[in-house]
Amino acid sequence: MDDKRIIDLYWARDEAAIRETSFKYGRLCAYIVKNILASHEDCEECLNDTYLAVWNAIPEQRPSRFSAFVSKIARNLALKKYEYVTAAKRNPKAVLSLEELGDCVSGTESVESELENRRIESAIEDFLWQQSDEKRNVFIRRYWYFDSVESICKNTGFSQSKVKSMLFEMRRKLKEHLKGEGIDL
């Protein structure tokens, strides 16, 4: 079923929308969630929470890219669940990804405002669209999907040193780009 029809089901408050969303995007959401959360039970709970959050959000919005809308909700819920569940424990893959990116995008308390968050989002999006497809895909796999360097190598055919240097260089360039946009780091 195409995305427009699924969204129409949500607007009609037809519970088949959840089944269709799960069928079409369940694997994508599960992939994202499993890269963040270690526990199978937490993953299942997060996926169920994702479908509920989509159910509650759709009547107010008609997302233009439904796959991005659903996966963003899944990712954000998984990150919240991760923060809640692992106050002392850490998922090394997710922590490492976030620590690598932290030098580029962590900021001061002023970043808490929604307007500033949108400005940063826009600047990062602009930066990514200036990159080649392969660099952008490697960056997104690492920092959006939390793929390991090894997994990225397997999917792209690149060596570990190439992926690591590509990510290092992109983080450096992103930091410069954000500074050029007047975003305090």
Side-chain angles (χ1 to χ4, degrees):
M1 181 177 290
D2 71 353
D3 290 351
K4 184 185 178 323
R5 289 190 59 210
I6 295 173
I7 293 170
D8 289 343
L9 289 173
Y10 278 105
W11 273 83
R13 305 313 279 166
D14 185 338
E15 290 181 15
I18 294 171
R19 184 178 56 254
E20 293 297 328
T21 302
S22 175
F23 179 74
K24 189 165 184 181
Y25 296 113
R27 286 182 49 186
L28 171 65
C29 291
Y31 180 79
I32 294 168
V33 169
K34 287 176 184 174
N35 277 342
I36 298 170
L37 300 173
S39 163
H40 177 72
E41 291 80 16
D42 289 341
C43 291
E44 288 299 318
E45 180 182 340
C46 189
L47 288 174
N48 290 331
D49 290 347
T50 297
Y51 301 132
L52 176 62
V54 171
W55 177 266
N56 290 331
I58 290 288
E60 297 171 15
Q61 305 179 39
R62 275 199 187 264
S64 58
R65 291 197 52 214
F66 189 58
S67 62
F69 181 79
V70 173
S71 62
K72 184 176 183 178
I73 289 174
R75 181 180 186 271
N76 289 342
L77 288 172
L79 288 170
K80 285 180 185 176
K81 183 72 172 177
Y82 170 79
E83 186 178 324
Y84 174 77
V85 170
T86 60
K89 299 178 255 173
R90 300 288 181 232
N91 176 345
K93 288 192 309 184
V95 170
L96 183 59
S97 291
L98 293 173
E99 285 175 356
E100 287 173 0
L101 203 53
D103 292 338
C104 300
V105 295
S106 65
T108 60
E109 292 302 313
S110 66
V111 177
E112 297 301 320
S113 75
E114 185 65 28
L115 187 58
E116 186 68 7
N117 286 339
R118 288 183 185 181
R119 192 169 84 106
I120 292 169
E121 241 177 62
S122 178
I124 292 171
E125 185 177 329
D126 291 344
F127 168 78
L128 287 173
W129 282 112
Q130 294 170 12
Q131 307 306 308
S132 68
D133 285 347
E134 71 180 16
K135 287 181 180 179
R136 183 174 50 249
N137 288 335
V138 166
F139 191 89
I140 290 170
R141 282 193 153 293
R142 181 69 174 145
Y143 300 117
W144 178 261
Y145 294 109
F146 294 110
D147 278 355
S148 66
V149 171
E150 294 78 16
S151 175
I152 294 169
C153 291
K154 182 180 172 188
N155 287 311
T156 61
F158 298 150
S159 68
Q160 278 195 12
S161 62
K162 179 172 180 160
V163 170
K164 287 179 180 179
S165 67
M166 193 182 292
L167 290 168
F168 177 80
E169 187 63 21
M170 287 189 68
R171 287 192 309 268
R172 186 187 63 74
K173 286 181 179 179
L174 175 59
K175 190 173 185 177
E176 288 175 11
H177 179 78
L178 293 175
K179 282 183 181 178
E181 295 287 320
I183 296 172
D184 294 327
L185 304 175

